[in-house]
Amino acid sequence: DGGITQSPKYLFRKEGQNVTLSCEQNLNHDAMYWYRQDPGQGLRLIYYSQIVNDFQKGDIAEGYSVSREKKESFPLTVTSAQKNPTAFYLCASRHTGLPVGELFFGEGSRLTVL
Amino acid sequence: GQQLNQSPQSMFIQEGEDVSMNCTSSSIFNTWLWYKQEPGEGPVLLIALYKAGELTSNGRLTAQFGITRKDSFLNISASIPSDVGIYFCAGLALNAGNMLTFGGGTRLMVKP
């Protein structure tokens, strides 16, 4: 079945460590997104990519990095520079020919910094 | 950036009751969307609204695009236990390119 796969679902990290969250989609979507979700807050955009080898910063990109070497994959690295990394991270994708709201989300990755 | 104020933040209702929630903004939006997120899952699109005044239904769900283009409403009729989750509004502002702004969510709990 087509969809978006995020891994790992749960991740624990010590302070000072970088971690990479995986996002893979087999929907043949052009655009991919990373959002951060904190309790009681809406989803905030970290990075997005509309085409391979190109990506743009979202509203809260500081402390994060991404790459888009393949259409199917958009990994997110949470670096030690991110001051408050504990959160639920959601990856999404869409076909650029569809209305902007037609986002398909993965199941999320919950990162906890110890 | 843009902000969406979603209310209420949470609701605890009896099965069978109707539910209303809304999103407001000081900015004009040209698209309003409503998503539902179940525990441990990503949000799923419920309803999309593209014209001011538009009223759209999806089963027991009805959403409206406010005439002022600064608000939107979601109603759920005759709630059932599987309606439990977090409901998010999202909007696309006029000068936001294709970047959505999300509300803070309404957590709905339904007592059987």
Side-chain angles (χ1 to χ4, degrees):
Chain A
D1 286 350
I4 300 178
T5 302
Q6 289 187 238
S7 63
K9 195 167 179 68
Y10 299 95
L11 186 60
F12 296 88
R13 183 194 101 176
K14 293 182 180 179
E15 282 191 26
Q17 289 181 334
N18 292 355
V19 294
T20 297
L21 308 180
S22 169
C23 179
E24 303 278 332
Q25 54 97 1
N26 60 4
L27 300 167
N28 200 33
H29 286 174
D30 308 297
M32 297 186 74
Y33 305 78
W34 274 105
Y35 288 90
R36 172 180 170 140
Q37 184 176 18
D38 294 286
Q41 297 193 38
L43 280 63
R44 293 183 290 169
L45 183 64
I46 305 172
Y47 268 99
Y48 65 100
S49 168
Q50 304 209 71
I51 194 169
V52 174
N53 291 324
D54 186 56
F55 48 83
Q56 306 295 329
K57 292 181 178 180
D59 297 323
I60 56 166
E62 185 175 353
Y64 300 98
S65 66
V66 293
S67 63
R68 187 83 187 278
E69 296 177 3
K70 299 185 300 182
K71 187 176 184 178
E72 303 79 18
S73 179
F74 192 41
L76 174 74
T77 296
V78 184
T79 75
S80 56
Q82 168 51 235
K83 298 304 179 189
N84 185 21
T86 294
F88 190 56
Y89 292 88
L90 285 161
C91 179
S93 70
R94 74 176 183 94
H95 193 292
T96 50
L98 293 177
V100 68
E102 301 272 352
L103 286 177
F104 291 80
F105 284 88
E107 294 188 345
S109 293
R110 185 168 298 280
L111 172 63
T112 302
V113 174
L114 305 173
Chain B
Q2 312 290 342
Q3 287 199 340
L4 289 181
N5 299 309
Q6 187 171 349
S7 65
Q9 285 189 326
S10 63
M11 305 180 71
F12 188 45
I13 62 169
Q14 190 76 38
E15 181 178 1
E17 290 183 354
D18 296 342
V19 172
S20 291
M21 60 190 78
N22 69 82
C23 270
T24 61
S25 175
S26 58
S27 303
I28 291 175
F29 285 76
N30 59 19
T31 299
W32 284 97
L33 306 153
W34 286 92
Y35 286 84
K36 179 186 178 186
Q37 183 180 29
E38 299 192 2
E41 305 282 331
V44 174
L45 182 64
L46 298 173
I47 294 178
L49 304 159
Y50 299 105
K51 287 172 59 175
E54 182 179 354
L55 185 71
T56 298
S57 293
N58 178 4
R60 293 178 294 104
L61 278 63
T62 302
Q64 184 163 24
F65 192 140
I67 289 291
T68 65
R69 299 171 73 185
K70 294 182 178 181
D71 56 12
S72 179
F73 304 85
L74 176 70
N75 296 318
I76 304 173
S77 62
S79 59
I80 59 178
S82 63
D83 290 334
V84 164
I86 302 176
Y87 293 80
F88 288 100
C89 64
L92 182 64
L94 285 177
N95 299 316
N98 59 1
M99 293 301 107
L100 292 174
T101 299
F102 283 84
T106 295
R107 182 180 296 273
L108 178 63
M109 293 159 280
V110 180
K111 183 177 180 183

Short mmCIF file of all heavy atoms in Angstrom, two decimals, chain A residues 34-91:
data_model
loop_
_atom_site.label_atom_id
_atom_site.label_comp_id
_atom_site.label_asym_id
_atom_site.label_seq_id
_atom_site.Cartn_x
_atom_site.Cartn_y
_atom_site.Cartn_z
N TRP A 34 8.44 18.67 7.05
CA TRP A 34 8.64 18.26 8.43
C TRP A 34 7.97 19.28 9.33
O TRP A 34 8.22 20.49 9.23
CB TRP A 34 10.11 18.16 8.79
CG TRP A 34 10.72 16.84 8.45
CD1 TRP A 34 11.56 16.55 7.42
CD2 TRP A 34 10.56 15.61 9.18
NE1 TRP A 34 11.91 15.22 7.44
CE2 TRP A 34 11.31 14.62 8.52
CE3 TRP A 34 9.84 15.24 10.32
CZ2 TRP A 34 11.37 13.31 8.95
CZ3 TRP A 34 9.90 13.93 10.75
CH2 TRP A 34 10.67 12.98 10.07
N TYR A 35 7.13 18.75 10.26
CA TYR A 35 6.47 19.59 11.24
C TYR A 35 6.86 19.12 12.64
O TYR A 35 7.12 17.94 12.88
CB TYR A 35 4.94 19.49 11.13
CG TYR A 35 4.35 20.17 9.93
CD1 TYR A 35 4.18 19.48 8.73
CD2 TYR A 35 3.96 21.50 9.99
CE1 TYR A 35 3.62 20.11 7.63
CE2 TYR A 35 3.40 22.13 8.89
CZ TYR A 35 3.24 21.42 7.71
OH TYR A 35 2.68 22.04 6.62
N ARG A 36 6.82 20.07 13.55
CA ARG A 36 7.01 19.75 14.96
C ARG A 36 5.69 20.00 15.68
O ARG A 36 5.03 21.02 15.44
CB ARG A 36 8.11 20.64 15.54
CG ARG A 36 8.26 20.53 17.05
CD ARG A 36 9.36 21.42 17.58
NE ARG A 36 9.30 21.46 19.04
CZ ARG A 36 10.36 21.43 19.82
NH1 ARG A 36 11.58 21.39 19.31
NH2 ARG A 36 10.23 21.46 21.14
N GLN A 37 5.31 19.07 16.58
CA GLN A 37 4.08 19.21 17.34
C GLN A 37 4.41 19.18 18.82
O GLN A 37 5.02 18.23 19.33
CB GLN A 37 3.11 18.08 17.00
CG GLN A 37 1.76 18.22 17.69
CD GLN A 37 0.77 17.15 17.27
OE1 GLN A 37 1.15 16.12 16.71
NE2 GLN A 37 -0.50 17.38 17.50
N ASP A 38 4.00 20.23 19.55
CA ASP A 38 4.13 20.31 20.99
C ASP A 38 2.73 20.36 21.60
O ASP A 38 1.79 20.85 20.96
CB ASP A 38 4.93 21.55 21.39
CG ASP A 38 6.38 21.48 20.92
OD1 ASP A 38 7.13 20.72 21.55
OD2 ASP A 38 6.73 22.16 19.94
N PRO A 39 2.58 19.86 22.83
CA PRO A 39 1.25 19.82 23.45
C PRO A 39 0.57 21.19 23.45
O PRO A 39 1.19 22.19 23.82
CB PRO A 39 1.55 19.35 24.88
CG PRO A 39 2.82 18.59 24.77
CD PRO A 39 3.62 19.29 23.71
N GLY A 40 -0.68 21.23 23.03
CA GLY A 40 -1.45 22.46 23.05
C GLY A 40 -1.08 23.46 21.97
O GLY A 40 -1.64 24.55 21.92
N GLN A 41 -0.17 23.08 21.10
CA GLN A 41 0.21 23.98 20.01
C GLN A 41 -0.09 23.34 18.67
O GLN A 41 -0.15 22.12 18.54
CB GLN A 41 1.70 24.31 20.09
CG GLN A 41 2.11 25.06 21.34
CD GLN A 41 3.51 25.62 21.22
OE1 GLN A 41 3.91 26.09 20.15
NE2 GLN A 41 4.25 25.60 22.30
N GLY A 42 -0.25 24.20 17.70
CA GLY A 42 -0.45 23.68 16.35
C GLY A 42 0.85 23.14 15.79
O GLY A 42 1.91 23.25 16.40
N LEU A 43 0.76 22.58 14.61
CA LEU A 43 1.95 22.07 13.94
C LEU A 43 2.78 23.24 13.41
O LEU A 43 2.23 24.17 12.80
CB LEU A 43 1.54 21.18 12.76
CG LEU A 43 1.15 19.74 13.10
CD1 LEU A 43 -0.08 19.66 13.97
CD2 LEU A 43 0.96 18.95 11.82
N ARG A 44 4.06 23.18 13.66
CA ARG A 44 4.95 24.23 13.18
C ARG A 44 5.91 23.66 12.16
O ARG A 44 6.51 22.61 12.38
CB ARG A 44 5.69 24.86 14.36
CG ARG A 44 4.78 25.64 15.31
CD ARG A 44 5.57 26.31 16.42
NE ARG A 44 6.12 25.34 17.37
CZ ARG A 44 7.02 25.63 18.30
NH1 ARG A 44 7.50 26.85 18.37
NH2 ARG A 44 7.45 24.71 19.12
N LEU A 45 6.09 24.38 11.08
CA LEU A 45 6.87 23.90 9.96
C LEU A 45 8.37 24.08 10.21
O LEU A 45 8.81 25.19 10.51
CB LEU A 45 6.45 24.65 8.68
CG LEU A 45 7.13 24.22 7.39
CD1 LEU A 45 6.77 22.78 7.04
CD2 LEU A 45 6.73 25.16 6.27
N ILE A 46 9.12 23.00 10.04
CA ILE A 46 10.56 23.05 10.25
C ILE A 46 11.28 23.28 8.92
O ILE A 46 12.03 24.23 8.76
CB ILE A 46 11.07 21.75 10.90
CG1 ILE A 46 10.32 21.45 12.19
CG2 ILE A 46 12.57 21.83 11.16
CD1 ILE A 46 10.64 20.08 12.78
N TYR A 47 11.07 22.38 7.98
CA TYR A 47 11.66 22.45 6.65
C TYR A 47 10.67 21.87 5.65
O TYR A 47 9.83 21.06 6.00
CB TYR A 47 12.96 21.63 6.57
CG TYR A 47 14.23 22.37 6.86
CD1 TYR A 47 14.83 22.29 8.12
CD2 TYR A 47 14.87 23.13 5.88
CE1 TYR A 47 16.01 22.95 8.39
CE2 TYR A 47 16.06 23.80 6.15
CZ TYR A 47 16.62 23.71 7.41
OH TYR A 47 17.81 24.36 7.67
N TYR A 48 10.83 22.28 4.39
CA TYR A 48 10.06 21.65 3.34
C TYR A 48 10.89 21.58 2.07
O TYR A 48 11.86 22.33 1.90
CB TYR A 48 8.73 22.37 3.09
CG TYR A 48 8.85 23.78 2.56
CD1 TYR A 48 8.69 24.05 1.20
CD2 TYR A 48 9.07 24.84 3.42
CE1 TYR A 48 8.77 25.34 0.71
CE2 TYR A 48 9.17 26.13 2.95
CZ TYR A 48 9.02 26.39 1.60
OH TYR A 48 9.10 27.67 1.13
N SER A 49 10.48 20.67 1.20
CA SER A 49 11.19 20.47 -0.06
C SER A 49 10.16 20.22 -1.15
O SER A 49 9.26 19.40 -0.99
CB SER A 49 12.12 19.25 0.05
OG SER A 49 12.61 18.87 -1.23
N GLN A 50 10.30 20.95 -2.24
CA GLN A 50 9.32 20.79 -3.32
C GLN A 50 9.90 20.01 -4.49
O GLN A 50 9.17 19.65 -5.43
CB GLN A 50 8.83 22.16 -3.78
CG GLN A 50 8.26 22.97 -2.63
CD GLN A 50 7.20 23.94 -3.06
OE1 GLN A 50 6.10 23.55 -3.41
NE2 GLN A 50 7.54 25.22 -3.00
N ILE A 51 11.22 19.76 -4.42
CA ILE A 51 11.85 19.04 -5.51
C ILE A 51 13.16 18.46 -4.99
O ILE A 51 13.73 18.98 -4.02
CB ILE A 51 12.10 20.00 -6.71
CG1 ILE A 51 12.44 19.21 -7.97
CG2 ILE A 51 13.16 21.01 -6.38
CD1 ILE A 51 12.43 20.08 -9.22
N VAL A 52 13.61 17.40 -5.62
CA VAL A 52 14.87 16.77 -5.21
C VAL A 52 16.01 17.79 -5.25
O VAL A 52 16.07 18.65 -6.12
CB VAL A 52 15.17 15.58 -6.14
CG1 VAL A 52 16.56 15.00 -5.84
CG2 VAL A 52 14.13 14.49 -5.97
N ASN A 53 16.89 17.67 -4.26
CA ASN A 53 18.08 18.52 -4.13
C ASN A 53 17.76 19.98 -3.85
O ASN A 53 18.63 20.86 -4.06
CB ASN A 53 18.97 18.41 -5.38
CG ASN A 53 19.62 17.05 -5.50
OD1 ASN A 53 19.99 16.44 -4.48
ND2 ASN A 53 19.75 16.56 -6.71
N ASP A 54 16.57 20.25 -3.39
CA ASP A 54 16.21 21.61 -2.99
C ASP A 54 15.31 21.57 -1.77
O ASP A 54 14.41 20.73 -1.68
CB ASP A 54 15.49 22.32 -4.13
CG ASP A 54 15.24 23.79 -3.80
OD1 ASP A 54 16.21 24.51 -3.49
OD2 ASP A 54 14.07 24.20 -3.83
N PHE A 55 15.54 22.44 -0.81
CA PHE A 55 14.69 22.51 0.37
C PHE A 55 14.76 23.93 0.93
O PHE A 55 15.70 24.69 0.65
CB PHE A 55 15.10 21.48 1.43
CG PHE A 55 16.57 21.43 1.74
CD1 PHE A 55 17.14 22.32 2.64
CD2 PHE A 55 17.38 20.48 1.14
CE1 PHE A 55 18.51 22.26 2.92
CE2 PHE A 55 18.74 20.42 1.42
CZ PHE A 55 19.30 21.31 2.30
N GLN A 56 13.72 24.27 1.71
CA GLN A 56 13.60 25.62 2.24
C GLN A 56 13.34 25.56 3.74
O GLN A 56 12.70 24.62 4.23
CB GLN A 56 12.42 26.35 1.58
CG GLN A 56 12.48 26.37 0.06
CD GLN A 56 13.65 27.16 -0.47
OE1 GLN A 56 14.08 28.13 0.17
NE2 GLN A 56 14.18 26.78 -1.61
N LYS A 57 13.79 26.58 4.46
CA LYS A 57 13.52 26.66 5.89
C LYS A 57 12.06 27.02 6.13
O LYS A 57 11.48 27.83 5.40
CB LYS A 57 14.42 27.71 6.54
CG LYS A 57 15.90 27.34 6.55
CD LYS A 57 16.71 28.44 7.25
CE LYS A 57 18.18 28.06 7.31
NZ LYS A 57 19.00 29.10 7.99
N GLY A 58 11.51 26.43 7.18
CA GLY A 58 10.19 26.81 7.63
C GLY A 58 10.30 27.83 8.75
O GLY A 58 11.28 28.58 8.84
N ASP A 59 9.31 27.84 9.64
CA ASP A 59 9.26 28.84 10.70
C ASP A 59 10.24 28.58 11.84
O ASP A 59 10.64 29.51 12.54
CB ASP A 59 7.84 28.91 11.28
CG ASP A 59 6.82 29.34 10.24
OD1 ASP A 59 7.15 30.20 9.41
OD2 ASP A 59 5.70 28.79 10.26
N ILE A 60 10.64 27.32 12.04
CA ILE A 60 11.48 26.98 13.20
C ILE A 60 12.64 26.08 12.79
O ILE A 60 12.88 25.04 13.38
CB ILE A 60 10.63 26.32 14.32
CG1 ILE A 60 9.89 25.07 13.80
CG2 ILE A 60 9.63 27.30 14.90
CD1 ILE A 60 9.33 24.21 14.91
N ALA A 61 13.42 26.48 11.80
CA ALA A 61 14.47 25.64 11.24
C ALA A 61 15.74 25.57 12.10
O ALA A 61 16.56 24.66 11.93
CB ALA A 61 14.82 26.12 9.84
N GLU A 62 15.90 26.52 13.01
CA GLU A 62 17.16 26.57 13.78
C GLU A 62 17.37 25.29 14.58
O GLU A 62 16.49 24.86 15.33
CB GLU A 62 17.15 27.77 14.71
CG GLU A 62 18.47 27.95 15.46
CD GLU A 62 18.51 29.21 16.29
OE1 GLU A 62 17.56 30.01 16.20
OE2 GLU A 62 19.47 29.38 17.05
N GLY A 63 18.56 24.70 14.44
CA GLY A 63 18.87 23.48 15.17
C GLY A 63 18.50 22.21 14.42
O GLY A 63 18.68 21.11 14.95
N TYR A 64 17.98 22.34 13.22
CA TYR A 64 17.59 21.20 12.40
C TYR A 64 18.30 21.27 11.04
O TYR A 64 18.68 22.33 10.58
CB TYR A 64 16.08 21.19 12.15
CG TYR A 64 15.22 21.11 13.38
CD1 TYR A 64 14.66 22.27 13.93
CD2 TYR A 64 14.94 19.89 13.99
CE1 TYR A 64 13.87 22.20 15.06
CE2 TYR A 64 14.14 19.82 15.12
CZ TYR A 64 13.60 20.98 15.64
OH TYR A 64 12.81 20.91 16.76
N SER A 65 18.45 20.10 10.41
CA SER A 65 18.94 20.07 9.04
C SER A 65 18.24 18.94 8.29
O SER A 65 17.74 17.98 8.90
CB SER A 65 20.46 19.86 8.99
OG SER A 65 20.81 18.59 9.50
N VAL A 66 18.17 19.08 6.97
CA VAL A 66 17.50 18.09 6.14
C VAL A 66 18.32 17.85 4.87
O VAL A 66 19.25 18.60 4.56
CB VAL A 66 16.08 18.53 5.72
CG1 VAL A 66 15.15 18.59 6.93
CG2 VAL A 66 16.13 19.86 4.98
N SER A 67 17.95 16.82 4.14
CA SER A 67 18.50 16.57 2.81
C SER A 67 17.39 15.97 1.96
O SER A 67 16.43 15.40 2.48
CB SER A 67 19.70 15.62 2.87
OG SER A 67 19.31 14.35 3.36
N ARG A 68 17.52 16.15 0.64
CA ARG A 68 16.52 15.56 -0.27
C ARG A 68 17.27 15.03 -1.49
O ARG A 68 17.23 15.58 -2.59
CB ARG A 68 15.49 16.62 -0.69
CG ARG A 68 14.33 16.04 -1.51
CD ARG A 68 13.25 15.46 -0.70
NE ARG A 68 12.23 14.78 -1.43
CZ ARG A 68 11.18 15.37 -2.03
NH1 ARG A 68 11.07 16.69 -2.00
NH2 ARG A 68 10.29 14.64 -2.65
N GLU A 69 17.96 13.93 -1.28
CA GLU A 69 18.76 13.34 -2.34
C GLU A 69 17.92 12.46 -3.26
O GLU A 69 18.29 12.20 -4.40
CB GLU A 69 19.92 12.55 -1.74
CG GLU A 69 20.91 13.41 -0.97
CD GLU A 69 22.01 12.60 -0.30
OE1 GLU A 69 22.03 11.36 -0.50
OE2 GLU A 69 22.84 13.19 0.39
N LYS A 70 16.80 11.96 -2.73
CA LYS A 70 15.89 11.13 -3.51
C LYS A 70 14.48 11.66 -3.33
O LYS A 70 14.13 12.19 -2.27
CB LYS A 70 15.95 9.68 -3.06
CG LYS A 70 17.28 9.01 -3.19
CD LYS A 70 17.19 7.53 -2.83
CE LYS A 70 16.70 7.31 -1.42
NZ LYS A 70 16.63 5.88 -1.05
N LYS A 71 13.65 11.46 -4.33
CA LYS A 71 12.28 11.94 -4.27
C LYS A 71 11.53 11.29 -3.11
O LYS A 71 10.67 11.90 -2.48
CB LYS A 71 11.56 11.61 -5.58
CG LYS A 71 10.17 12.19 -5.72
CD LYS A 71 9.60 11.88 -7.08
CE LYS A 71 8.25 12.54 -7.29
NZ LYS A 71 7.71 12.29 -8.64
N GLU A 72 11.86 10.03 -2.81
CA GLU A 72 11.11 9.27 -1.81
C GLU A 72 11.50 9.59 -0.37
O GLU A 72 10.81 9.19 0.55
CB GLU A 72 11.31 7.76 -2.04
CG GLU A 72 10.94 7.27 -3.42
CD GLU A 72 11.99 7.55 -4.47
OE1 GLU A 72 13.17 7.81 -4.10
OE2 GLU A 72 11.67 7.51 -5.65
N SER A 73 12.64 10.23 -0.17
CA SER A 73 13.21 10.31 1.16
C SER A 73 13.52 11.74 1.57
O SER A 73 14.06 12.54 0.78
CB SER A 73 14.51 9.49 1.18
OG SER A 73 15.11 9.55 2.44
N PHE A 74 13.19 12.06 2.84
CA PHE A 74 13.41 13.42 3.35
C PHE A 74 13.79 13.32 4.83
O PHE A 74 12.99 13.63 5.72
CB PHE A 74 12.15 14.24 3.15
CG PHE A 74 12.31 15.74 3.38
CD1 PHE A 74 13.43 16.43 2.93
CD2 PHE A 74 11.31 16.45 4.00
CE1 PHE A 74 13.56 17.79 3.12
CE2 PHE A 74 11.42 17.83 4.20
CZ PHE A 74 12.54 18.50 3.76
N PRO A 75 15.01 12.89 5.15
CA PRO A 75 15.39 12.72 6.55
C PRO A 75 15.62 14.06 7.26
O PRO A 75 16.09 15.02 6.65
CB PRO A 75 16.69 11.91 6.46
CG PRO A 75 17.24 12.23 5.10
CD PRO A 75 16.06 12.44 4.21
N LEU A 76 15.30 14.07 8.54
CA LEU A 76 15.48 15.25 9.39
C LEU A 76 16.51 14.93 10.47
O LEU A 76 16.38 13.93 11.16
CB LEU A 76 14.15 15.62 10.05
CG LEU A 76 14.20 16.74 11.09
CD1 LEU A 76 14.38 18.10 10.42
CD2 LEU A 76 12.93 16.74 11.96
N THR A 77 17.52 15.79 10.58
CA THR A 77 18.50 15.64 11.65
C THR A 77 18.25 16.71 12.70
O THR A 77 18.18 17.91 12.37
CB THR A 77 19.94 15.76 11.12
OG1 THR A 77 20.18 14.67 10.21
CG2 THR A 77 20.95 15.67 12.26
N VAL A 78 18.08 16.27 13.93
CA VAL A 78 17.94 17.17 15.06
C VAL A 78 19.33 17.31 15.67
O VAL A 78 19.89 16.33 16.18
CB VAL A 78 16.94 16.62 16.08
CG1 VAL A 78 16.72 17.62 17.21
CG2 VAL A 78 15.62 16.25 15.41
N THR A 79 19.89 18.47 15.58
CA THR A 79 21.27 18.65 16.02
C THR A 79 21.32 19.08 17.48
O THR A 79 20.31 19.47 18.07
CB THR A 79 22.00 19.68 15.16
OG1 THR A 79 21.56 21.00 15.52
CG2 THR A 79 21.75 19.45 13.68
N SER A 80 22.52 19.06 18.02
CA SER A 80 22.71 19.47 19.42
C SER A 80 22.43 20.96 19.60
O SER A 80 22.30 21.44 20.72
CB SER A 80 24.13 19.14 19.87
OG SER A 80 25.08 19.73 19.02
N ALA A 81 22.35 21.69 18.51
CA ALA A 81 22.06 23.13 18.58
C ALA A 81 20.60 23.41 18.86
O ALA A 81 20.24 24.54 19.21
CB ALA A 81 22.47 23.80 17.27
N GLN A 82 19.75 22.39 18.72
CA GLN A 82 18.32 22.58 19.00
C GLN A 82 18.14 22.56 20.52
O GLN A 82 18.38 21.55 21.18
CB GLN A 82 17.50 21.49 18.32
CG GLN A 82 16.03 21.39 18.74
CD GLN A 82 15.29 22.70 18.69
OE1 GLN A 82 14.70 23.14 19.68
NE2 GLN A 82 15.32 23.35 17.55
N LYS A 83 17.69 23.67 21.08
CA LYS A 83 17.69 23.84 22.53
C LYS A 83 16.61 23.04 23.24
O LYS A 83 16.76 22.67 24.40
CB LYS A 83 17.51 25.33 22.87
CG LYS A 83 18.64 26.21 22.34
CD LYS A 83 19.99 25.74 22.84
CE LYS A 83 21.12 26.61 22.28
NZ LYS A 83 22.46 26.05 22.58
N ASN A 84 15.53 22.79 22.58
CA ASN A 84 14.42 22.08 23.22
C ASN A 84 13.87 21.04 22.25
O ASN A 84 12.77 21.23 21.71
CB ASN A 84 13.34 23.08 23.63
CG ASN A 84 12.22 22.42 24.40
OD1 ASN A 84 12.38 21.35 24.97
ND2 ASN A 84 11.06 23.05 24.39
N PRO A 85 14.58 19.96 22.01
CA PRO A 85 14.20 19.04 20.95
C PRO A 85 13.10 18.04 21.29
O PRO A 85 12.57 17.39 20.38
CB PRO A 85 15.51 18.31 20.65
CG PRO A 85 16.23 18.34 21.95
CD PRO A 85 15.87 19.64 22.60
N THR A 86 12.76 17.90 22.55
CA THR A 86 11.73 16.92 22.92
C THR A 86 10.39 17.33 22.31
O THR A 86 9.88 18.41 22.63
CB THR A 86 11.60 16.83 24.45
OG1 THR A 86 12.81 16.29 24.98
CG2 THR A 86 10.44 15.93 24.84
N ALA A 87 9.86 16.50 21.44
CA ALA A 87 8.63 16.84 20.73
C ALA A 87 8.20 15.65 19.88
O ALA A 87 8.90 14.64 19.78
CB ALA A 87 8.83 18.06 19.82
N PHE A 88 7.04 15.79 19.26
CA PHE A 88 6.52 14.82 18.31
C PHE A 88 6.75 15.40 16.92
O PHE A 88 6.38 16.54 16.65
CB PHE A 88 5.02 14.63 18.59
CG PHE A 88 4.39 13.49 17.85
CD1 PHE A 88 4.89 12.20 17.95
CD2 PHE A 88 3.26 13.68 17.07
CE1 PHE A 88 4.29 11.14 17.30
CE2 PHE A 88 2.65 12.62 16.41
CZ PHE A 88 3.17 11.36 16.52
N TYR A 89 7.42 14.63 16.06
CA TYR A 89 7.79 15.13 14.74
C TYR A 89 6.96 14.42 13.67
O TYR A 89 6.89 13.18 13.64
CB TYR A 89 9.28 14.93 14.49
CG TYR A 89 10.14 15.79 15.36
CD1 TYR A 89 10.55 15.38 16.63
CD2 TYR A 89 10.53 17.07 14.94
CE1 TYR A 89 11.32 16.18 17.43
CE2 TYR A 89 11.30 17.88 15.75
CZ TYR A 89 11.69 17.43 16.99
OH TYR A 89 12.45 18.25 17.80
N LEU A 90 6.37 15.21 12.80
CA LEU A 90 5.52 14.67 11.75
C LEU A 90 6.07 15.01 10.38
O LEU A 90 6.42 16.15 10.10
CB LEU A 90 4.11 15.24 11.86
CG LEU A 90 3.25 14.67 12.99
CD1 LEU A 90 2.09 15.60 13.30
CD2 LEU A 90 2.72 13.30 12.60
N CYS A 91 6.13 14.01 9.54
CA CYS A 91 6.53 14.19 8.15
C CYS A 91 5.27 14.14 7.29
O CYS A 91 4.32 13.40 7.61
CB CYS A 91 7.50 13.08 7.74
SG CYS A 91 8.06 13.16 6.03
#
